Amino acid sequence: MLFYKIGSDNKICHPLLLLLAYQENLFITEVYIMNKIQSFDDYLSQYEQSKANLVKYWESIASNLEWFKKWDSAHSGDFTTTSVTWFDGAETNLSYNCLDRHLETRGEKTALIYVHNDPKKAPEHISYIQLHQRVSQFANMLKNHGVEKGDRVCFYMGMTPELMIGVLACARIGAVHSVVFGGFSAKALADRINDCEAKVLITNDWGLRGDKLIPLKNVADEALESCPSISSVIVQKSAPENVMMKDGRDYWFETENQKASTDCPAETQQSEDPLFILYTSGSTGKPKGLLHTTGGYMTYAYHTFRNVFQVEENDVYWCTADIGWITGHTYITYGPLLNGATTVMFEGVPTWPDAGRFWQIVDQLKVTHFYTAPTAIRALEAKGLDYVTPYSLESLKVLGSVGEPINEEAWEWYHKNIGKEKCPIVDTWWQTETGGIMISPLAGITETKPCYATYPLPGIFPVLMDAEGKEIVQPKAEGNLCIKHPWPGIARTIYADHNRYKETYFSTYPGYYFTGDGAKREESGMIRITGRVDDVINVSGHRIGTAEVEDAINTHEHVVESAVIGYNHPIKGQGIFAFIIPTSMDSIQENFHQELNTVVTKMIGSIAKPEKIKVVSGLPKTRSGKIMRRILRKVAEGDLANLGDTSTLLNPEIVEELIKD
Ligand code: WTA
């Protein structure tokens, strides 16, 4: 539907009113399209429009946001040059668009509902006015600690409101945030801080998760022994237990924040100024610091949240992710706030004090939109309906799933018992690299089908590749999933390593972005994601590189070599199976598995612990010395009848040992 922008006050009116406006001598500055998709026909029409003129399409979306200066060039670059820009030359500020833009119309509206780990503590309602004030104060506190535009600020926190506030404060002053999930180890934290040379670290004394206290500050202290770039550590208090504070380096948030003024106008940012770095695992080497920039990410977060979830003004939207992951960045923080929504943030875990916690919160807050990961659904399903039936769940309108393929059983359980067969499920496929949702049903608009992410959003052109690296043109097909043209939300680079960015995403299929996932396409064009086709394991929706886990295991004094494989796990989606060659069979003690868990927890974090291990005298290798993971995968799955051709192995005799119990 065509709408018109009149004057400079962003008011929108219908074409019929245009004539009136014309008669009144109002100045018409620009024609643009209101892009909230209303129906499936509307979706199809927008998709066609984006196909016909991709850049114009994205310009029309971006026009819904506030820019201090319009772009000189809407888009440049492609997947051959790999240097992509969107809205170059434009000036804006993301925190301004999330907060200031709403103050007049929604100032008193609740922006954030914060739910404490402790169910006895009442949830906090923070209005747009209050959030604006707290973000401004946090921003001034960062400035007082020497943070300037472009500086990196690392967050290693529990899910406290200050994590969201701090992230928005960075965006306000042009500092680059890098959030590290609170479950990562000291070594993993240090590696990330050192890679981006962060100046300030924000942490908590303790993280509260269920009945556990996570020693965040202690872990940070250990990391900081090898982080010379950090000049200040700001510690927010969460628990009465004491922690060590180092003079001249560590400061209490509460004291520092009080010293800061609440007046902090948003800095002018260039569209391509860095916004954040977020580390994610790849198939090789150390984690990659994906860099997202301001204007394109903003446009994409705004557009995808608005269309996929179809949130209305008085709705209450809850995404259960942690801000340490991309889902928490785009769909707890930026996407909802850009759209003036009410977003819920939960400190705790789904199973404490019991497995009904999510549903108790849904009823208590009258949540309308609920977005979680298949792992959580499966874990709660396994606990039984006794934890669900005490709650009415009648406020729910839309359910979402993200992070890993959702199996049919979990989809049906979610649909029936949580959505009461009336809530559409949006199975949203996307990645840290893509910045926002790429393939997903639009709530209430797209017909859903269990396990299908369905169709791409307008402006997104997925293709499937065959074994020869060619685009498959037949509608019904299975292949490796690539994306054709750049979209505004794509990560622009791997921080300080553009060559690795090129190599990882653009070398397998030149001219295309390779996702690392496999997919099936139906005759109708509906897409089903089948999972990673590279050496990345998805454990409970968390991406873990096999190479990282192998590197950690190999540091154990009695390990010569290891190979790590993902296998189907009933709750976690995938579990980690480690095949290990020891220095000698005699060196293996009873507690070997436990020791390996300790090593992996120390090097990466407990999320990467191997569920199963098998001690072997050799690994199946090709003649060129590469581990034949296909065989290990079959062994890990127990699918011994389908090992395939093993005759080309350098050491075929090893297979017998592998399949022995
Ligand atoms: C997987 C999370 C199937 C996929 C947003 C992708 C999914 C990886 C889905 C990215 C889905 C994410 N169905 N698989 N709906 N969503 N994935 O970077 O393998 O943590 O490549 O981003 O998760 O994980 P990441």
Side-chain angles (χ1 to χ4, degrees):
M1 203 189 293
L2 272 183
F3 285 82
Y4 298 83
K5 191 171 180 178
I6 300 180
S8 58
D9 63 354
N10 261 351
K11 282 208 183 100
I12 290 155
C13 82
H14 192 274
L16 278 178
L17 293 181
L18 191 67
L19 190 66
L20 237 164
Y22 189 71
Q23 284 167 356
E24 296 286 316
N25 265 342
L26 287 171
F27 178 53
I28 299 161
T29 52
E30 206 176 325
V31 177
Y32 72 103
I33 302 165
M34 264 289 274
N35 279 294
K36 184 159 177 181
I37 299 170
Q38 310 281 341
S39 64
F40 198 67
D41 280 347
D42 197 8
Y43 159 74
L44 292 174
S45 133
Q46 284 206 24
Y47 199 81
E48 282 312 308
Q49 286 176 50
S50 72
K51 219 169 175 178
N53 193 333
L54 185 64
V55 175
K56 209 168 176 169
Y57 180 76
W58 287 119
E59 282 189 284
S60 75
I61 305 278
S63 298
N64 289 305
L65 293 157
E66 192 75 33
W67 302 82
F68 307 152
K69 174 179 168 278
K70 209 183 159 185
W71 42 91
D72 304 322
S73 138
H75 169 58
S76 72
D78 56 33
F79 291 154
T80 309
T81 63
T82 74
S83 64
V84 165
T85 69
W86 283 96
F87 316 117
D88 212 15
E91 291 173 358
T92 188
N93 181 288
L94 194 35
S95 128
Y96 183 93
N97 271 282
C98 286
L99 303 169
D100 309 49
R101 195 163 60 94
H102 305 304
L103 292 184
E104 211 175 292
T105 49
R106 301 187 176 99
E108 303 291 344
K109 178 176 172 176
T110 300
L112 171 65
I113 307 179
Y114 180 67
V115 183
H116 294 271
N117 179 55
D118 181 351
K120 291 195 283 301
K121 277 193 176 168
E124 282 172 47
H125 290 247
I126 301 170
S127 70
Y128 272 92
I129 291 176
Q130 290 165 333
L131 191 60
H132 175 260
Q133 191 179 336
R134 285 171 73 168
V135 168
S136 301
Q137 190 168 23
F138 199 117
N140 280 328
M141 182 201 64
L142 289 175
K143 286 201 232 166
N144 292 347
H145 278 269
V147 175
E148 292 174 5
K149 185 170 171 157
D151 285 343
R152 272 79 59 211
V153 176
C154 180
F155 291 81
Y156 183 67
M157 297 184 80
M159 283 281 282
T160 69
E162 278 66 28
L163 174 53
M164 179 190 281
I165 290 167
V167 155
L168 289 163
C170 287
R172 195 158 189 87
I173 60 172
V176 181
H177 56 81
S178 184
V179 185
V180 177
F181 174 60
F184 278 118
S185 70
K187 166 134 189 0
L189 174 62
D191 287 349
R192 285 157 176 79
I193 290 175
N194 289 332
D195 188 75
C196 71
E197 297 176 346
K199 193 172 193 174
V200 170
L201 173 69
I202 321 283
T203 189
N204 286 108
D205 49 355
W206 303 90
L208 310 182
R209 286 177 70 74
D211 55 0
K212 291 202 186 78
L213 270 185
I214 316 289
L216 293 171
K217 177 63 167 57
N218 282 352
V219 178
D221 284 338
E222 194 186 330
L224 290 171
E225 282 169 22
S226 58
C227 297
S229 63
I230 295 285
S231 54
S232 296
V233 179
I234 313 284
V235 188
Q236 188 206 6
K237 197 148 183 61
S238 291
E241 283 79 359
N242 283 334
V243 290
M244 193 274 286
M245 295 291 278
K246 186 170 168 179
D247 254 5
R249 184 196 73 181
D250 300 350
Y251 303 86
W252 288 109
F253 165 77
E254 290 72 11
T255 320
E256 296 309 293
N257 203 46
Q258 256 173 24
K259 291 184 204 157
S261 129
T262 53
D263 179 25
C264 179
E267 292 270 345
T268 296
Q269 295 294 108
Q270 294 288 315
S271 180
E272 282 300 337
D273 277 347
L275 173 67
F276 67 84
I277 299 167
L278 188 59
Y279 288 86
T280 188
S281 292
S283 40
T284 55
K286 57 177 193 165
K288 304 174 292 225
L290 288 156
L291 180 87
H292 283 278
T293 57
T294 305
Y297 173 83
M298 170 169 85
T299 305
Y300 202 65
Y302 164 78
H303 165 72
T304 52
F305 178 82
R306 186 182 192 205
N307 287 305
V308 170
F309 295 103
Q310 299 280 322
V311 168
E312 289 165 1
E313 194 62 46
N314 295 319
D315 286 343
V316 176
Y317 162 91
W318 179 19
C319 166
T320 70
D322 190 293
I323 295 186
W325 309 110
I326 190 71
T327 307
H329 282 56
T330 311
Y331 298 111
I332 297 180
T333 310
Y334 290 119
L337 296 178
L338 282 166
N339 283 280
T342 298
T343 183
V344 177
M345 181 176 177
F346 174 44
E347 184 178 31
V349 295
T351 47
W352 190 83
D354 64 45
R357 188 73 202 273
F358 273 179
W359 320 128
Q360 174 260 318
I361 295 171
V362 166
D363 272 9
Q364 185 182 16
L365 303 181
K366 301 204 169 14
V367 170
T368 54
H369 291 65
F370 179 76
Y371 189 32
T372 197
T375 293
I377 300 167
R378 286 188 295 261
L380 296 177
E381 180 187 352
K383 299 277 182 191
L385 282 177
D386 286 354
Y387 293 101
V388 182
T389 43
Y391 305 101
S392 85
L393 304 178
E394 65 190 5
S395 55
L396 287 173
K397 298 202 277 194
V398 173
L399 301 177
S401 170
V402 61
E404 48 179 323
I406 178 163
N407 51 308
E408 186 152 358
E409 195 196 328
W411 195 100
E412 295 291 359
W413 185 86
Y414 197 30
H415 182 57
K416 182 164 174 237
N417 299 298
I418 307 304
K420 314 290 184 199
E421 294 180 343
K422 67 175 172 54
C423 301
I425 298 180
V426 291
D427 179 358
T428 63
W429 175 83
W430 60 294
Q431 308 178 296
T432 305
E433 292 85 344
T434 68
I437 296 167
M438 302 284 280
I439 305 178
S440 171
L442 310 181
I445 290 175
T446 313
E447 208 172 303
T448 60
K449 184 171 173 183
C451 314
Y452 283 75
T454 71
Y455 304 106
L457 268 72
I460 302 302
F461 302 100
V463 293
L464 297 181
M465 297 299 193
D466 66 16
E468 271 76 57
K470 296 241 155 37
E471 228 181 283
I472 310 176
V473 288
Q474 304 88 292
K476 196 171 165 62
E478 178 163 5
N480 285 354
L481 180 65
C482 288
I483 313 289
K484 238 176 177 172
H485 302 287
W487 61 97
I490 189 175
R492 302 294 192 264
T493 193
I494 291 175
Y495 187 72
D497 199 351
H498 197 68
N499 278 338
R500 188 168 176 211
Y501 175 76
K502 278 190 195 169
E503 178 63 31
T504 310
Y505 304 111
F506 307 101
S507 66
T508 319
Y509 304 104
Y512 297 84
Y513 165 76
F514 177 38
T515 64
D517 280 318
K520 282 183 180 163
R521 188 171 53 209
E522 297 297 321
E523 198 75 39
S524 63
M526 259 203 184
I527 295 170
R528 175 180 187 156
I529 307 296
T530 50
R532 300 291 305 194
V533 292
D534 55 5
D535 292 325
V536 171
I537 307 178
N538 193 326
V539 181
S540 305
H542 302 148
R543 273 164 74 165
I544 294 170
T546 50
E548 269 177 89
V549 185
E550 287 161 7
D551 287 350
I553 290 175
N554 294 350
T555 61
H556 188 283
E557 58 174 338
H558 295 312
V559 174
V560 175
E561 196 182 355
S562 62
V564 160
I565 301 294
Y567 71 97
N568 287 332
H569 187 284
I571 304 283
K572 298 178 174 183
Q574 282 192 298
I576 297 179
F577 196 128
F579 293 86
I580 289 154
I581 308 180
T583 43
S584 74
M585 288 297 175
D586 300 340
S587 63
I588 303 301
Q589 304 290 319
E590 226 177 81
N591 60 352
F592 185 54
H593 192 161
Q594 182 53 43
E595 282 180 25
L596 291 181
N597 283 348
T598 307
V599 165
V600 171
T601 303
K602 205 168 162 48
M603 301 286 283
I604 306 172
S606 66
I607 50 173
K609 282 189 303 204
E611 198 93 14
K612 293 184 184 177
I613 65 166
K614 190 168 184 120
V615 178
V616 290
S617 66
L619 292 164
K621 299 243 168 115
T622 63
R623 296 223 166 94
S624 57
K626 271 181 75 173
I627 297 170
M628 213 186 249
R629 288 175 187 271
R630 171 177 64 78
I631 294 177
L632 295 179
R633 250 175 237 129
K634 295 285 176 197
V635 173
E637 299 284 1
D639 186 10
L640 305 181
N642 293 307
L643 288 183
D645 183 11
T646 55
S647 63
T648 56
L649 287 174
L650 184 69
N651 50 348
E653 70 287 350
I654 200 70
V655 174
E656 206 148 299
E657 185 187 329
L658 286 172
I659 63 182
K660 245 193 352 222
D661 259 348

